[in-house]
Amino acid sequence: MSDPWDGILEEGETILWQGRPDTFFAIGAADIVPLLFGLTFSAFALIWIAIVRYAGASFWVFGLIHFASGIALTFYALGRDTVARRYSYYTLTTQRAIIGLSYPWARPRLRKIRLTKSTRIRTNHEHTVTFGYAGRSKRHPFPTRAPQFSRIDDAEKVFHLMRQIQKEMS
């Protein structure tokens, strides 16, 4: 049987830690704005539909498109992070942090972040280790968040392992 890490790990690189995020439903701070926008958009669409229908016009049906868009955005904001965590896995090696995302409906993807002495590493109360900096995606015009191992049980251990890797680079 072939090793699934063939072609992924570099020469001399070894795995120090592997884990998966907590998959329970949670809303983060980044989800609040799209959630509120979706709810507001839906509410205005409902008000518009009611006013136009009360006036007797038949084009109130076009308001359903806006209402559905607002509801879709609301559900997207509520579920995007939870769904992504259900299909994510994390690996820390002696040289890199690897984030794997394997949705059943899409091709599996790996994001490999090389750890250097200057890589910014921090942890927070949500059991998340964030490393590197936010940037811009080549496919999307919006800023991306810094790479992270989200909602892991042993965040402190992973944080200290990353710090140890940085110390050994001196």
Side-chain angles (χ1 to χ4, degrees):
M1 188 179 306
S2 67
D3 183 5
W5 289 98
D6 277 349
I8 297 172
L9 295 180
E10 295 175 354
E11 185 74 30
E13 187 175 21
T14 58
I15 296 172
L16 299 175
W17 174 87
Q18 287 185 302
R20 300 213 47 208
D22 177 13
T23 58
F24 291 113
F25 175 77
I27 298 175
D31 301 323
I32 300 299
V33 171
L35 175 69
L36 291 175
F37 182 78
L39 289 172
T40 304
F41 197 79
S42 297
F44 278 119
L46 277 178
I47 292 168
W48 185 85
I49 289 170
I51 290 170
V52 171
R53 184 167 169 131
Y54 181 74
S58 61
F59 62 91
W60 64 269
V61 177
F62 294 108
L64 293 176
I65 295 168
H66 296 86
F67 177 73
S69 298
I71 293 297
L73 180 59
T74 301
F75 280 111
Y76 175 76
L78 285 173
R80 113 185 116 144
D81 189 48
T82 302
V83 171
R85 282 186 283 110
R86 285 205 175 126
Y87 297 105
S88 296
Y89 53 94
Y90 307 133
T91 301
L92 178 65
T93 72
T94 51
Q95 299 173 16
R96 299 179 293 173
I98 302 171
I99 301 171
L101 189 58
S102 183
Y103 291 119
W105 58 84
R107 196 178 94 237
R109 296 180 300 190
L110 290 178
R111 183 173 181 190
K112 304 169 199 165
I113 299 93
R114 184 160 305 280
L115 298 174
T116 64
K117 189 174 179 173
S118 63
T119 301
R120 181 177 173 199
I121 301 170
R122 59 195 182 285
T123 186
N124 66 15
H125 63 280
E126 294 177 344
H127 302 283
T128 298
V129 179
T130 305
F131 41 92
Y133 297 93
R136 291 222 179 255
S137 170
K138 293 178 183 173
R139 290 174 281 183
H140 304 288
F142 306 109
T144 60
R145 69 178 183 192
Q148 61 186 14
F149 290 165
S150 301
R151 300 182 184 277
I152 55 176
D153 290 333
D154 40 2
E156 287 297 319
K157 174 186 173 186
V158 173
F159 176 77
H160 291 296
L161 282 170
M162 287 183 172
R163 287 282 188 223
Q164 187 63 37
I165 292 168
Q166 286 182 320
K167 286 179 187 174
E168 291 173 2
M169 290 180 178
S170 300

